[in-house]
C-alpha cells in the first residue's frame, strides 16, 4: 500500500533520510533503513575531503535549528567504501554529491553510480563556500550546466535538490527539468539565518549564519512543492519540517511522490520512520486510498 515509484525506482514506502543527517557512514544508514525508511540519501560529499566549518555548527532556535556544517566530508574515495557496505534489501540508496563545476560533478557521478540507485545533486546548500551549493542553484545558467553535465555522465536517475532561497523556484525547477533532471527534491534549508548569543554579543555559529530546518520551514516547503508541481512533469520529492504522517500527507497532496526527513530525527529519534508509516497506512485505509499514487497532487484544482 505504501509503495511509491520514482523514475522506475521502487520504494517500499515514501519516507527517506534527508541528506546530511546520519548519512555519513554505512552503519548509520543501515540503522535508518532497518528503522523503516524506504530509502536513504547520503551526506553530501565532494571529490576531495573537506573539513567544513569549526564548531559550533548547529544551534537550536524556535521552530527548528540553524546549521552551518560547511559540507564536511571525507571525499569520494572514502565515501564509496561506505556506500558499498550498505545492506541492500528492498531499499533505495541515493548518493548526494556536490562540486564547484561540471567536471567535478561528472567525475563524482562516474565514481559512485555503480553503488547507488539514484544521485542527488546538492546545488542548494545556503552556507556552502562561494562557488558551491546555493550559488549554483540560485542561477538558471549554472543549474543548467551542472545538471546537464551530471545527466550526461549518469546511468542512474538524477535528482536536482532545489534551494528555496530564490526569487522564483519554479523558474529554477523548469531549468533543471530542461537540463535533463529526472526528478527534483525540494527544499534545502532556508535562509541563511542567524542566532546571536546576547551574553557575548556574537553570532553563535562559527560561520555566523546557516540554513534553517525543522517545523518552521514546512509551510514554505509545501508551498514550493505545490507551485513547482503545477509547472513541471518530472516527479517531486518533498523535504522540510516533516515530523508526522499528517505532514507527509500534505506534501503528497501538494504533489510529492516521496519525502525526506532530517531534523525530526534529531528531535524524535529514528522511530519517526515506523511511526509515520503506521499513521500513513491507517490514514489511507480510513480515507479509502489503496496507493500513494492516488494521493499525489490532489490538493490542486
Ligand atoms: C545538520 C544538517 C546537515 C545537512 N546537510 C545537508 C547536506 O549535506 N546536503 C544537503 O543537500 N542537505 C543537507 N541538509 C538539508 C536537509 O537535507 C533538508 O533539506 C533540510 O534540513 C530540511 O529538512 P528537515 O526540516 O526535515 O531537516 C542538512 C540539514 C541539517 C539540519
Amino acid at each position: 500500500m505504501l509503495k511509491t515509484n520514482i523514475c522506475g525506482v521502487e520504494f517500499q514506502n515514501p519516507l527517506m533520510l534527508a541528506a546530511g543527517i546520519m548519512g555519513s557512514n554505512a552503519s548509520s544508514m543501515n540503522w535508518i533503513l532497518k528503522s523503516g525508511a524506504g530509502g536513504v540519501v547520503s551526506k553530501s560529499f565532494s571529490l576531495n575531503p573537506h573539513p567544513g566549518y569549526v564548531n559550533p555548527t548547529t544551534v537550536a532556535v524556535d521552530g527548528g535549528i540553524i546549521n552551518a556544517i560547511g559540507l564536511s566530508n571525507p571525499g569520494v574515495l572514502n565515501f564509496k567504501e561506505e556506500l558499498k557496505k550498505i545492506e541492500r534489501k528492498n531499499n533505495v540508496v541515493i548518493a548526494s554529491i556536490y562540486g564547484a563545476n561540471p567536471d567535478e560533478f561528472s567525475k563524482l557521478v562516474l565514481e559512485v553510480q555503480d553503488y547507488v540507485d539514484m544521485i542527488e545533486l546538492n546545488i542548494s546548500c545556503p552556507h556552502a563556500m562561494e562557488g558551491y551549493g546555493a550559488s549554483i542553484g540560485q542561477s538558471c545558467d549554472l543549474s543548467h550546466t551542472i545538471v546537464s553535465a551530471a545527466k550526461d555522465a549518469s546511468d542512474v536517475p538524477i535528482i536536482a535538490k532545489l534551494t528555496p532561497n530564490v526569487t522564483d523556484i519554479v523558474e529554477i525547477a523548469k531549468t533543471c527539468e530542461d537540463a535533463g533532471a529526472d526528478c527534483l527534491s525540494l527544499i534545502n534549508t532556508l535562509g541563511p539565518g542567524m542566532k546571536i548569543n546576547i551574553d557575548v554579543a556574537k553570532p553563535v555559529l562559527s560561520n555566523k549564519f546557516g540554513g534553517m530546518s525543522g517545523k518552521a520551514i514546512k509551510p514554505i516547503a509545501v508551498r514550493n512543492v505545490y507551485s513547482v508541481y503545477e509547472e513541471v512533469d518530472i516527479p517531486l520529492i518533498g523535504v522540510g519540517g516533516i515530523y508526522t504522517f499528517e505532514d507527509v500527507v500534505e506534501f503528497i497532496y501538494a504533489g510529492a511522490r516521496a519525502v525526506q526527513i532530517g531534523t525530526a530525527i534529531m528531535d524524535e529519534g529514528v522511530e519517526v520512520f515506523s511511526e509515520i508509516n503506521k499513521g500513513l497506512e491507517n490514514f489511507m485505509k480510513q480515507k479509502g486510498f489503496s496507493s500513494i499514487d492516488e494521493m499525489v497532487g490532489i490538493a490542486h484544482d
Side-chain angles (χ1 to χ4, degrees):
M1 180 180 234
L2 293 180
K3 283 186 180 166
T4 188
N5 191 299
I6 298 179
C7 313
V9 177
E10 185 161 84
F11 291 72
Q12 295 305 305
N13 65 65
L15 313 184
M16 57 186 114
L17 174 71
I21 299 98
M22 291 186 69
S24 294
N25 56 60
S27 58
S28 63
M29 286 188 272
N30 283 330
W31 186 20
I32 295 286
L33 289 167
K34 281 184 191 135
S35 303
V40 286
V41 184
S42 75
K43 169 83 189 150
S44 299
F45 57 87
S46 48
L47 277 179
N48 297 312
H50 182 69
Y53 300 126
V54 297
N55 282 328
T57 51
T58 60
V59 58
V61 293
D62 286 348
I65 64 169
I66 303 176
N67 93 81
I69 308 263
L71 297 173
S72 60
N73 78 95
V76 66
L77 293 183
N78 288 306
F79 223 103
K80 215 156 75 168
E81 296 310 309
E82 296 304 313
L83 295 174
K84 288 181 193 167
K85 286 187 276 182
I86 297 179
E87 292 161 27
R88 305 306 312 268
K89 285 184 221 134
N90 257 350
N91 52 38
V92 177
V93 176
I94 300 171
S96 169
I97 60 172
Y98 79 92
N101 54 53
D103 193 44
E104 286 187 15
F105 276 91
S106 308
K107 283 187 176 140
L108 282 160
V109 166
L110 294 173
E111 285 284 354
V112 296
Q113 63 180 349
D114 289 348
Y115 308 103
V116 295
D117 302 293
M118 305 175 94
I119 293 175
E120 185 175 86
L121 311 179
N122 180 357
I123 52 169
S124 43
C125 178
H127 53 81
M129 312 67 75
E130 190 51 39
Y132 295 80
S135 45
I136 298 171
Q138 285 165 336
S139 148
C140 282
D141 284 351
L142 290 177
S143 297
H144 196 283
T145 311
I146 296 297
V147 172
S148 312
K151 178 65 186 166
D152 284 350
S154 185
D155 291 334
V156 298
I158 291 290
I159 306 166
K161 184 167 181 183
L162 306 185
T163 172
N165 312 318
V166 288
T167 312
D168 182 5
I169 196 167
V170 171
E171 192 186 18
I172 303 280
K174 283 160 88 174
T175 301
C176 290
E177 182 181 42
D178 288 346
D182 299 289
C183 175
L184 302 173
S185 57
L186 58 162
I187 54 174
N188 207 318
T189 49
L190 186 70
M194 180 183 271
K195 164 89 178 162
I196 290 177
N197 178 332
I198 58 169
D199 290 325
V200 294
K202 288 278 176 292
V204 173
L205 298 178
S206 72
N207 185 54
K208 299 193 172 102
F209 58 82
M212 173 91 185
S213 63
K215 283 186 181 165
I217 74 167
K218 193 194 80 182
I220 293 160
V222 171
R223 194 285 294 173
N224 279 319
V225 168
Y226 188 95
S227 299
V228 169
Y229 181 80
E230 303 222 315
E231 301 291 335
V232 305
D233 294 324
I234 51 179
L236 307 181
I237 299 171
V239 201
I242 295 173
Y243 277 67
T244 64
F245 80 85
E246 290 95 333
D247 297 335
V248 175
V249 172
E250 274 193 69
F251 274 94
I252 295 174
Y253 283 180
R257 304 194 73 81
V259 297
Q260 298 174 353
I261 301 176
T263 304
I265 303 167
M266 297 173 170
D267 287 339
E268 319 256 309
V270 295
E271 292 75 22
V272 73
F273 291 103
S274 57
E275 275 160 26
I276 292 181
N277 276 332
K278 220 183 312 158
L280 185 58
E281 196 164 337
N282 284 338
F283 176 85
M284 289 170 69
K285 282 181 189 152
Q286 271 169 28
K287 296 279 183 190
F289 292 116
S290 55
S291 71
I292 298 289
D293 244 18
E294 292 167 20
M295 302 165 67
V296 175
I298 66 169
H300 294 259
D301 302 330

